[in-house]
Amino acid sequence: MKEGLRERTRRAVRAELAEVAIGLFARQGFDDTTVEDIARAAGMTKRSFFRYFPTKEDVVFDGVDLTGEKVVADIAARPAEEDPWDSLHHVLRAWQEEIHASEQVLATLRLIEATPALVGRLHQRRTEWRRRVSDALQGRLGVDIDAYTADLLTNAATAVLDAVSSQWVRTNGHANRSALLEQGFIQVHVNRNLRQA
Amino acid sequence: MKEGLRERTRRAVRAELAEVAIGLFARQGFDDTTVEDIARAAGMTKRSFFRYFPTKEDVVFDGVDLTGEKVVADIAARPAEEDPWDSLHHVLRAWQEEIHASEQVLATLRLIEATPALVGRLHQRRTEWRRRVSDALQGRLGVDIDAYTADLLTNAATAVLDAVSSQWVRTNGHANRSALLEQGFIQVHVNRNLRQA
DNA sequence: GACTATAGTGTCACCAGGTGACACATAGGC
DNA sequence: GCCTATGTGTCACCTGGTGACACTATAGTC
């Protein structure tokens, strides 16, 4: 683990940059905060900011990343005979429980919700992620899921996730996310494909 | 109808601008086409382009607009005792059939799919639209739907819509959109809220 | 402990998407 | 024919983002 120091400082700078940025966004809004503002507040140049984050939007998603590389892997690892909807339920339940519901996360979600540009970026990321999940669902051995059904399943799963998130924000973080997720996955149900019928 | 002429020319210019833009995007890609390019190709200034479209992205959505003000109204007009999932099914079926599946629409969807910025913008618009649909669902008189369930319903409905759209593009427009929609709304099912149980 | 490759930084120049302000023309309503 | 909207070009400007270059500090090597 020799590569520690350099990477550690890098991550530390990233984290502080994100913290400073979120703070400024919360106070004066996303659009009224320039990258220069953030950079100067963190003691660096605009140019250097972009060496840590590809875009101004991405600094927001540093903590609340929904990429979930692990989710993709977990889906693929589920038994092939399991109902795919149950697989999604199982994996996403586990995944959600790992995200501790801090005040910070709540504030970030609120910020995203209030900023069109961030909403767009979030869904853009999620779209890429969904395609990977969808592929993972189809990729399980000995499964006869067609692409359309796989999309249906993943889209529906994120539909639940979104509703949970909205409700959680709506209740100022008082709602029980796990309970909401359970309820959602029961209220919404997606059948395996009915092709052969 | 005195306001005709002025508005008609305006819409005509808009339409031509959109056509020119789509053409350029198709040939050289969205990112490699500047607003100046579009404007000059349509015989006007960059500044004037922005008097017709708020952003470069929006010119793409001129034809494929998913805003559907009509959908919101139709939802609200459905009988309150109808199962909300069936209401969505009914309204969206009618809505989709109005969009004739032209080659142009297909090309546009492909363009969107291939351009991250457009994906973001699309979902951004759709998010706003969903909130309005969700409100409409809750707004029906004498209905006991809570906000969470309403979100669940609308999110799931757009999940179906997205899957249909993806599959349609995937099959180069050969798939039967109506049939996919029917299948989707049957495979996915969202129950009324189970609160009182 | 000095030495060199390399990561990180500032500076500068530049491009593209957008916006505000102003002056000018053109077309509509009277 | 006059007055007033409305549309247009021009110009100046801001912000997000990128490429190039020179400089500095550090990590690993001897």
Side-chain angles (χ1 to χ4, degrees):
Chain A
M1 299 293 161
K2 283 268 187 91
E3 330 90 340
L5 202 148
R6 218 135 187 173
E7 290 190 3
R8 254 187 307 163
T9 60
R10 183 170 176 84
R11 276 203 300 159
V13 174
R14 257 183 83 95
E16 201 202 316
L17 216 36
E19 202 184 317
V20 168
I22 295 277
L24 288 175
F25 292 158
R27 251 186 293 147
Q28 42 182 127
F30 182 81
D31 292 327
D32 290 340
T33 305
T34 75
V35 174
E36 278 254 12
D37 291 342
I38 303 167
R40 295 193 80 83
M44 60 172 65
T45 326
K46 174 185 139 192
R47 192 68 186 86
S48 273
F49 172 91
F50 286 111
R51 294 197 245 249
Y52 285 93
F53 294 97
T55 72
K56 182 184 169 187
E57 279 107 34
D58 282 299
V59 74
V60 173
F61 299 111
D62 200 37
V64 206
D65 207 329
L66 306 185
T67 316
E69 196 63 49
K70 194 169 158 293
V71 170
V72 179
D74 286 358
I75 290 286
R78 289 257 100 195
E81 65 274 15
E82 184 178 47
D83 185 289
W85 185 242
D86 291 339
S87 299
L88 285 165
H89 185 178
H90 189 99
V91 171
L92 291 177
R93 171 169 43 206
W95 170 77
Q96 193 198 228
E97 276 164 10
E98 280 178 20
I99 303 174
H100 47 289
S102 65
E103 188 65 33
Q104 170 114 11
V105 173
L106 186 59
T108 304
L109 287 181
R110 246 195 274 275
L111 175 65
I112 294 172
E113 209 174 60
T115 313
L118 293 176
V119 173
R121 188 81 180 180
L122 172 67
H123 282 84
Q124 179 183 331
R125 283 178 162 231
R126 192 167 292 182
T127 299
E128 297 165 17
W129 175 76
R130 273 197 299 209
R131 193 168 47 231
R132 293 224 304 287
V133 171
S134 188
D135 288 349
L137 270 179
Q138 282 185 87
R140 298 197 297 185
L141 297 114
V143 184
D144 58 343
I145 294 185
D146 58 307
Y148 179 56
T149 300
D151 281 357
L152 226 39
L153 285 158
T154 46
N155 289 0
T158 56
V160 174
L161 247 38
D162 277 348
V164 170
S165 187
S166 297
Q167 181 68 4
W168 189 60
V169 172
R170 196 181 287 131
T171 59
N172 292 318
H174 293 333
N176 181 339
R177 286 220 317 248
S178 297
L180 286 173
L181 188 87
E182 294 307 308
Q183 191 195 330
F185 264 89
I186 290 168
Q187 271 187 265
V188 181
H189 194 272
V190 184
N191 296 305
R192 262 192 143 96
N193 61 343
L194 312 167
R195 282 291 175 80
Q196 71 282 12
Chain B
M1 297 290 164
K2 283 269 187 87
E3 329 90 340
L5 203 149
R6 219 133 185 173
E7 290 190 3
R8 254 187 307 163
T9 59
R10 183 170 176 83
R11 276 203 301 159
V13 173
R14 255 183 85 95
E16 200 203 317
L17 215 37
E19 202 185 316
V20 168
I22 295 278
L24 287 175
F25 292 158
R27 251 186 294 147
Q28 43 182 127
F30 183 81
D31 292 327
D32 289 340
T33 305
T34 76
V35 174
E36 278 253 10
D37 291 342
I38 303 167
R40 295 193 79 82
M44 59 172 67
T45 327
K46 175 184 139 192
R47 191 67 186 86
S48 273
F49 172 91
F50 285 112
R51 295 198 244 249
Y52 285 93
F53 294 98
T55 72
K56 181 184 169 188
E57 280 107 33
D58 282 298
V59 74
V60 174
F61 299 112
D62 198 39
V64 205
D65 206 329
L66 306 185
T67 318
E69 196 64 47
K70 193 168 158 297
V71 170
V72 178
D74 287 357
I75 290 286
R78 289 257 101 198
E81 66 273 15
E82 184 179 48
D83 185 289
W85 186 242
D86 291 339
S87 299
L88 284 165
H89 185 178
H90 189 99
V91 171
L92 291 176
R93 171 170 40 205
W95 169 76
Q96 193 197 230
E97 276 164 9
E98 280 178 20
I99 304 173
H100 47 289
S102 64
E103 188 64 35
Q104 170 116 10
V105 173
L106 186 61
T108 304
L109 287 181
R110 246 196 273 275
L111 176 65
I112 294 172
E113 210 174 61
T115 314
L118 293 176
V119 173
R121 187 81 181 179
L122 173 66
H123 283 84
Q124 177 181 332
R125 283 179 162 232
R126 191 168 292 182
T127 299
E128 296 166 17
W129 175 76
R130 274 198 299 208
R131 193 167 50 230
R132 293 223 306 286
V133 172
S134 188
D135 289 348
L137 270 180
Q138 281 184 87
R140 297 197 297 185
L141 295 116
V143 184
D144 59 342
I145 295 184
D146 57 307
Y148 179 56
T149 300
D151 281 357
L152 225 40
L153 286 158
T154 46
N155 288 0
T158 56
V160 174
L161 246 39
D162 278 347
V164 170
S165 186
S166 296
Q167 181 69 4
W168 189 60
V169 172
R170 197 182 288 130
T171 59
N172 292 318
H174 292 333
N176 181 338
R177 287 221 316 247
S178 297
L180 286 172
L181 188 87
E182 293 309 307
Q183 191 194 331
F185 264 89
I186 290 168
Q187 272 187 264
V188 181
H189 195 271
V190 184
N191 297 304
R192 260 194 145 94
N193 60 343
L194 312 168
R195 282 288 175 81
Q196 72 281 14

